[in-house]
Amino acid sequence: MNILSFLFGKKKAEETGVRVGGMEDFMTLIRVYYQAVMAMQLGITNLAFLPDLRIFKQTLHVPTVNNKLGIGEKNRCKKMLTDMYGLSDSFFKEIDGSIKGRCKNVNDVKGYLLMFQGFSQDLMMLMGNLMQWKFRMPALFHKALRNMTATTVHKIMTKNDWSDEGVRRTCVSLRKYQSFLGYSESWMTEYVYNIVMLAKKEPKTSEPDLKKK
């Protein structure tokens, strides 16, 4: 399933040089999954409130299940993420549990998504700073890279004596996000590892932009 071709048009995908099934697809589908879970759990019916879900549903013609927005869209999105990227079932269960425990009403959605954005940005910045050359390892060493990713995530969540004050402050910030959102180290490892492996497959012309993210 070429999700970029469906969501943004084949011509645009070719013009931007983004690889179909790559990092942009991954992040788009992650956003869709979050919004589908929120719609399902909170009974949201206004698609204008969930822009990524609206595009996904309308473009792929995903039918509404049991007259409830989110059920069919969540299942379709989960299948695509699993088929395209091999995400584990526990990865989705943690997202479901996090949203269920922290989004009690529609007013909580914006705050939750802002917290997740900050969490994701701090996590990727720290991982980039701490792993550096390890992220440049050839993709064929994927098992070693995943193990090193897990080790670094654990260090971020437990180590306090950082020599770099900027790293220490970002670790403190990340732990606050993690405490609120409730994601485990294994979830964080799977999230980071997939983004890194996908970034390695992006066209070289995209590399400067990817490093900024």
Side-chain angles (χ1 to χ4, degrees), residues 6-31:
F6 279 108
L7 296 185
F8 305 110
K10 183 176 181 181
K11 183 177 181 181
K12 183 174 180 181
E14 293 173 347
E15 289 174 349
T16 56
V18 178
R19 192 181 70 86
V20 170
M23 191 168 66
E24 287 295 328
D25 284 5
F26 179 77
M27 296 308 299
T28 297
L29 288 171
I30 288 291
R31 291 195 302 271

Side-chain angles (χ1 to χ4, degrees), residues 40-57:
M40 184 180 71
Q41 293 191 1
L42 298 175
I44 299 173
T45 58
N46 186 1
L47 277 170
F49 191 67
L50 305 167
D52 296 295
L53 182 64
R54 176 181 59 81
I55 295 173
F56 180 84
K57 179 179 180 62

Side-chain angles (χ1 to χ4, degrees), residues 12-193:
K12 183 174 180 181
E14 293 173 347
E15 289 174 349
T16 56
V18 178
R19 192 181 70 86
V20 170
M23 191 168 66
E24 287 295 328
D25 284 5
F26 179 77
M27 296 308 299
T28 297
L29 288 171
I30 288 291
R31 291 195 302 271
V32 170
Y33 187 83
Y34 271 83
Q35 293 176 21
V37 174
M38 290 171 172
M40 184 180 71
Q41 293 191 1
L42 298 175
I44 299 173
T45 58
N46 186 1
L47 277 170
F49 191 67
L50 305 167
D52 296 295
L53 182 64
R54 176 181 59 81
I55 295 173
F56 180 84
K57 179 179 180 62
Q58 293 177 350
T59 309
L60 300 185
H61 306 292
V62 181
T64 300
V65 176
N66 296 331
N67 294 316
K68 188 172 183 179
L69 181 65
I71 298 176
E73 295 78 12
K74 173 190 170 183
N75 292 337
R76 180 73 173 274
C77 186
K78 179 180 178 180
K79 185 178 188 306
M80 293 177 71
L81 281 164
T82 301
D83 291 346
M84 294 170 70
Y85 307 106
L87 294 177
S88 66
D89 192 53
S90 62
F91 183 88
F92 299 104
K93 286 182 178 178
E94 286 207 31
I95 294 176
D96 297 355
S98 176
I99 294 174
K100 182 178 180 179
R102 292 152 185 86
C103 293
K104 302 300 184 181
N105 54 64
V106 176
N107 293 329
D108 294 333
V109 169
K110 184 177 180 179
Y112 181 95
L113 292 175
L114 286 173
M115 289 289 283
F116 180 77
Q117 182 180 13
F119 167 77
S120 180
Q121 289 175 345
D122 279 359
L123 178 60
M124 294 308 300
M125 180 171 66
L126 277 171
M127 294 299 291
N129 287 341
L130 297 175
M131 293 190 71
Q132 296 181 3
W133 66 268
K134 297 174 184 177
F135 276 166
R136 297 193 291 271
M137 291 175 60
L140 62 93
F141 297 110
H142 59 93
K143 289 185 179 179
L145 181 57
R146 186 173 184 117
N147 289 336
M148 285 186 280
T149 300
T151 299
T152 304
V153 167
H154 180 68
K155 186 181 295 185
I156 287 171
M157 298 306 298
T158 57
K159 182 178 177 178
N160 295 315
D161 56 337
W162 297 99
S163 58
D164 188 315
E165 179 61 18
V167 170
R168 187 195 69 79
R169 287 198 303 268
T170 307
C171 282
V172 171
S173 174
L174 179 68
R175 291 175 194 178
K176 289 180 180 178
Y177 286 130
Q178 185 272 340
S179 177
F180 173 79
L181 297 169
Y183 291 113
S184 67
E185 290 184 19
S186 62
W187 189 95
M188 295 160 68
T189 296
E190 188 166 5
Y191 180 69
V192 172
Y193 173 77

